[in-house]
Amino acid sequence: MLDADLSPLRNSSATPAGLGSGRIMLAALGFCTIGGFLLLTMTKRVSVLVALVLLPVLAALASGHADEIGPMALKGLTQVAPTGIMIAFAVLYFSLMIDAGLFEPLIRAILKAAKGDPVRIAVGTAVLTICVALDGDGASTFLITVSALLPVYRRLGMSRLVLAGIVCLGAGLMNLVPWGGPTARAAAALKLDTSDIITPLLPALGAGIAWVLFAAYLIGRRERRRLGELAPEERTEVPEPVGDGPGTPRVTAARHPALTVFNLVLTLTLLVLLVLETMPLPVLFVLAFVIALLVNHPRWEDQQALLEKHSKSVVLVTSMIFAAGVFTGILGGTGMIGEMAEAMVGVIPDGLGGHLPVLVAVTSMPLSLVFTPDAYYFGILPVLAGTADAFGTDSAEMARAAVLGQMTTGFPLSPLTASTFILVGMTGVQLGEHQRFIFRWAFGTTLVMTAAALATGALPL
C-alpha cells in the first residue's frame, strides 16, 4: 500500500504502471475529484461530510484501487485521530468554562475600566474578544461579546459597525489556536501535528494580538472624533449587560469564589502546558476536561447533562475531521495528490516556487471570501503543499502560511461561513457594509503576522 504522505516526490513513484499517460490520467482524476468536491460543497448539493467520503471512494474505484480503499482510508483515519480527540475535548473544556462564568469578571472589569470612552470601549472589545475566543468557536465568541457590549455601544451612540469589526478582528485572530478551525483543518489535511503548525507561529500570533489592539485603538479614536467628547453632565454609568434578549449568554448560577479561582488557575496551567508541549495536546485536554468536570460538576447527573448539552458541537466538528482523514488518506494513497502536485510543478517557474509560502499567506485571506474553509483546506491546500515540497518547502510551512490568512482573519467576513451571519445579525449591520468597513484592517492582520513569521523563521524567506 502507498504511503498517504502528501509529498509528490514520495508518492509519484507509486502510481499505477508508471507510464506517462497513466500518470496524466491519475492527475486529471485527482483534479476532477477536488473540483467536484468544491462544486458540490460550494453549491450545497451535498454536505461536506458526504463529499469528503464519497468522492475519494469513487475516484479510487475509477483509478483501479478498489481493493486498497479500506487500508488507505483506515490509515488516513489513524493519522487524524489525535487531532479529532484534541478538538473534541477542547470544545468540551472551554464550553464548560464559559458555562461556569469564567469570563464574566473580565467582562465587568472591561466595562468598568472603559468609563464611557469610545477608545477604551474599542480596546476593551478587542481584549474581551481575544479572551473569549480561546475556545476556538466563532459562534460562541460572537454570542458572548456582542451580547455583553451591544448595550454599551447603543448607550454611547457608537457605531455597531465598530463593534462588529473589532469582534471580527479578535475572533479571526484567535481562530489560530490549535483547537480552532484553520489549524485543525490544516493539520488534518496535511497529516501534521498541530504543534508543528502553531508553535513556530507563536511570535506571529503575538504580533497579531498587538496589531488588533492597535487597530482597535485607531478605530476607537476615529469613533471618538465622530461622536465628540460627551459633556460631564451627559456622562452616565455604563450599563451592565442584561442578558435577556435572543442570543445572549446564559445566566450562570452563583459560584463560590474558590471555584472561579480554581478554573482560572486550571485554564492558565493548561495553556502553559500546551505551549511547553509537556504532553501530547490530546492528552492534556482529556486530563484538563476530566478534572474541570469533576470539580465543577461533582454529581453524576450534572456531568451527564453537560455532556449532552455540548455533544452536538463535538460530533459536528470531529466527524468532519475523520471524514477529512478518509479524503486525504485515499487521495494520498492512490498517488493522485502526488501527480497533481507534479503537474503544477511543471507550470510554476523555478524562481517562484520557493516563494509559495509567502504567496499563500498573502492570498489566503482574500480567498476566504471565495472558498469555504473545508474547500480550501481539504481541496486546495494538499495540492499546494505537494507542489511546494518539490521546491524544497516543508508541508508544515505551507500549513502555517495558509492559517495566517485563510479563515484566520477572513472567516468573520466570509459569506460562506455560517457564524458570520451570527455576527452581522446580532449587531444589526449589513454584510456588505461590514466587509467594506473592516476588510483592510483584517488584511492588515494577515500582513503583520506574515511579516512576523518571516522575521522569526516560521516561514522561509
Side-chain angles (χ1 to χ4, degrees):
M1 187 184 69
L2 302 178
D3 191 343
D5 194 293
L6 299 178
S7 166
L9 299 181
R10 288 190 289 271
N11 280 336
S12 61
S13 61
T15 52
L19 298 177
S21 60
R23 296 176 65 177
I24 292 174
M25 292 181 61
L26 196 61
L29 183 59
F31 282 118
C32 289
T33 301
I34 292 180
F37 172 77
L38 297 176
L39 178 63
L40 291 175
T41 54
M42 293 180 67
T43 59
K44 298 183 179 180
R45 298 289 183 181
V46 298
S47 70
V48 174
L49 182 67
V50 172
L52 283 172
V53 175
L54 184 60
L55 289 179
V57 169
L58 294 177
L61 292 173
S63 63
H65 292 82
D67 57 341
E68 300 178 68
I69 291 177
M72 289 187 297
L74 182 59
K75 186 168 185 178
L77 288 169
T78 303
Q79 290 174 321
V80 301
T83 300
I85 295 170
M86 181 199 68
I87 291 175
F89 283 93
V91 170
L92 289 173
Y93 179 84
F94 284 107
S95 297
L96 187 156
M97 290 301 165
I98 291 173
D99 287 350
L102 178 63
F103 301 106
E104 289 180 4
L106 177 63
I107 294 174
R108 290 193 294 268
I110 291 174
L111 296 181
K112 184 178 180 180
K115 297 180 179 178
D117 181 11
V119 175
R120 294 184 180 185
I121 291 290
V123 176
T125 300
V127 173
L128 177 62
T129 304
I130 289 171
C131 293
V132 175
L134 278 171
D135 69 345
D137 179 53
S140 64
T141 300
F142 299 152
L143 288 171
I144 293 171
T145 54
V146 174
S147 298
L149 296 172
L150 185 57
V152 179
Y153 276 71
R154 285 174 172 168
R155 187 64 170 269
L156 297 179
M158 293 179 65
S159 172
R160 290 171 295 176
L161 282 172
V162 172
L163 173 59
I166 296 176
V167 170
C168 162
L169 292 179
L173 171 71
M174 295 310 292
N175 215 24
L176 189 65
V177 295
W179 48 91
T183 306
R185 286 184 177 94
L190 300 185
K191 305 296 190 303
L192 299 169
D193 190 271
T194 52
S195 61
D196 296 332
I197 301 174
I198 188 61
T199 301
L201 286 178
L202 289 178
L205 178 60
I209 292 175
W211 163 257
V212 168
L213 295 177
F214 179 65
Y217 171 77
L218 295 179
I219 294 172
R221 285 190 60 183
R222 186 173 64 181
E223 187 67 3
R224 178 199 278 168
R225 287 195 300 269
R226 186 183 72 85
L227 294 173
E229 288 289 348
L230 294 176
E233 62 271 13
E234 296 176 314
R235 193 175 297 278
T236 58
E237 286 294 320
V238 178
E240 294 285 341
V242 293
D244 59 354
T248 56
R250 63 189 66 82
V251 178
T252 56
R255 297 268 175 169
H256 193 282
L259 185 59
T260 301
V261 172
F262 171 82
N263 287 335
L264 178 60
V265 172
L266 179 62
T267 301
L268 293 176
T269 302
L270 172 61
L271 294 176
V272 171
L273 295 178
L274 290 172
V275 172
L276 296 178
E277 300 181 41
T278 55
M279 290 185 184
L281 270 61
V283 177
L284 286 174
F285 271 112
V286 170
L287 294 176
F289 172 69
V290 170
I291 294 172
L293 181 63
L294 181 62
V295 173
N296 286 267
H297 302 284
R299 296 174 62 247
W300 178 86
E301 293 83 358
D302 295 336
Q303 295 173 4
Q304 290 298 113
L306 183 134
L307 292 172
E308 292 174 2
K309 181 178 183 180
H310 300 292
S311 59
K312 180 180 179 181
S313 299
V314 173
V315 170
L316 287 175
V317 175
T318 55
S319 62
M320 203 73 65
I321 294 299
F322 287 117
V326 175
F327 186 88
T328 56
I330 293 178
L331 262 65
T334 56
M336 292 181 194
I337 290 180
E339 298 306 331
M340 285 187 289
E342 286 201 350
M344 294 182 68
V345 168
V347 298
I348 296 178
D350 291 341
L352 187 62
H355 301 291
L356 275 178
V358 177
L359 293 176
V360 169
V362 173
T363 61
S364 59
M365 187 270 176
L367 287 177
S368 67
L369 304 178
V370 180
F371 295 106
T372 66
D374 298 303
Y376 185 85
Y377 284 105
F378 300 136
I380 296 175
L381 181 57
V383 178
L384 292 174
T387 305
D389 186 78
F391 292 97
T393 300
D394 188 78
S395 60
E397 295 173 335
M398 292 297 291
R400 294 170 205 149
V403 300
L404 286 175
Q406 219 288 333
M407 304 314 293
T408 298
T409 55
F411 94 89
L413 288 165
S414 174
L416 304 176
T417 308
S419 58
T420 299
F421 295 96
I422 297 177
L423 177 61
V424 298
M426 291 190 66
T427 54
V429 302
Q430 296 295 322
L431 178 60
E433 293 177 336
H434 169 62
Q435 290 173 330
R436 288 191 296 272
F437 177 80
I438 206 65
F439 178 87
R440 63 183 182 275
W441 298 102
F443 193 42
T445 307
T446 294
L447 296 179
V448 168
M449 294 178 68
T450 300
L454 288 169
T456 57
L459 292 183
L461 290 172

